[in-house]
Amino acid sequence: MTFPAGYDRVILPETDSTNAEALRRAGTLAGPAWIMAHRQTAARGRRGRAWAGPDGNFAATLLLHPSEPADIVALRSFVAALALHDTCVTLTGRTEAFALKWPNDVLLNGGKLAGILLESTGSGGRVAALAIGIGVNLRAAPDPAALEEGALAPVALLPETGADIPPEEFLDHLAAAYAAREADFTTHGFGPIRQAWLARAARIGQPITARTPRAETRGIFETVDATGNLVLKTPEGRVSIAAADVFF
Ligand SMILES: O=C(O)CCCC[C@@H]1SC[C@@H]2NC(=O)N[C@@H]21
């Protein structure tokens, strides 16, 4: 498997967080670069949570220097989730087992297999550097004791499918899948990415709950709109949500 042309590949034995590492290197790595670490000592998840990654799991960040406005740059969350889904299907041959959960989790057999965290630097609506951090439970699921109430239980690829994929091999497949989806995104915009994402989405047409620190909205998961917002049909009407945690 060859690494996609134009992308750097950095593999570290250990770092605090590959997202932090990527943003520290943003000034010296001019082109797109994947930074993978075998161990993270301070991995972070969405909404300020910690991310636990037992040995053998996958942790990497794609560093980009995008040129679009911040709202377009943020749509790469869906590009990355799709590429991650592509990679899981390719490596296991199981299409139906995997699904996507808004905004960017990958589910396997209904449990949480992988998460994505986007972080960026820049100001005034301009993104100087974008870090797309991806954690995948390849070997083992983290201890579910630390789970928020109602959150999906974590699952891992090896016990669920029997596929024993080393992190470096996973990176090479993911980098190729991402490069293909990124080319589609930059050429054709969010439309085809959105359609492909929706085709793989869990719980479309079913009731779900979107929770933020200040509000909870329950409704039918209608779609994800052209700006990436979650659209719920509630008794009070249609609600469009830009950021939240989703519970089934
Ligand atoms: O909360 C989530 O679901 C997102 C988890 C993202 C974890 C990954 S592991 C690689 C990268 N480095 C980090 O510190 N976090 C992301």
Side-chain angles (χ1 to χ4, degrees):
M1 182 103 213
T2 53
F3 213 65
Y7 285 75
D8 274 335
R9 181 182 189 267
V10 178
I11 309 250
L12 305 169
E14 182 176 296
T15 187
D16 50 355
S17 146
T18 55
N19 271 25
E21 183 80 41
L23 293 173
R24 280 195 295 270
R25 293 180 184 224
T28 49
L29 288 167
W34 281 95
I35 299 173
M36 193 196 100
H38 285 284
R39 185 169 302 113
Q40 298 182 103
T41 54
R44 45 211 199 203
R46 293 178 63 234
R47 304 192 163 272
R49 290 185 282 255
W51 176 261
D55 280 2
N57 282 0
F58 178 81
T61 295
L62 172 61
L63 173 68
L64 297 172
H65 296 278
S67 54
E68 307 94 345
D71 55 337
I72 306 295
V73 169
L75 296 173
R76 285 198 172 75
S77 145
F78 296 92
V79 179
L82 258 184
L84 196 46
H85 187 283
D86 294 340
T87 305
C88 293
V89 170
T90 302
L91 288 171
T92 63
R94 300 184 191 205
T95 310
E96 301 307 322
F98 297 97
L100 297 173
K101 174 172 173 274
W102 188 88
N104 52 28
D105 288 343
V106 177
L107 310 185
L108 167 58
N109 297 334
K112 175 160 169 162
L113 174 71
I116 299 177
L117 174 67
L118 265 64
E119 296 180 288
S120 60
T121 60
S123 58
R126 198 190 139 261
V127 176
L130 173 69
I132 306 176
I134 299 178
V136 186
N137 304 327
L138 289 182
R139 177 73 52 86
D143 181 1
L147 272 191
E148 196 175 323
E149 201 191 324
L152 289 180
V155 295
L157 198 71
L158 176 60
E160 293 286 326
T161 68
D164 192 0
I165 314 290
E168 289 93 338
E169 187 184 332
F170 192 88
L171 174 64
D172 292 348
H173 282 269
L174 176 61
Y178 184 88
R181 292 290 185 184
E182 169 75 19
D184 191 22
F185 179 60
T186 50
T187 309
H188 299 113
F190 185 49
I193 298 291
R194 174 175 171 267
Q195 286 306 334
W197 192 96
L198 286 169
R200 293 156 182 76
R203 307 284 174 125
I204 291 254
Q206 294 180 39
I208 62 172
T209 300
R211 197 178 292 157
T212 67
R214 273 180 289 133
E216 185 169 298
T217 310
R218 186 146 181 94
I220 303 294
F221 176 16
E222 201 167 76
T223 193
V224 168
D225 70 14
T227 67
N229 281 9
L230 177 72
V231 180
L232 298 185
K233 203 166 85 188
T234 74
E236 290 75 41
R238 210 156 265 130
V239 179
S240 166
I241 296 166
D245 279 325
V246 164
F247 296 85
F248 292 159

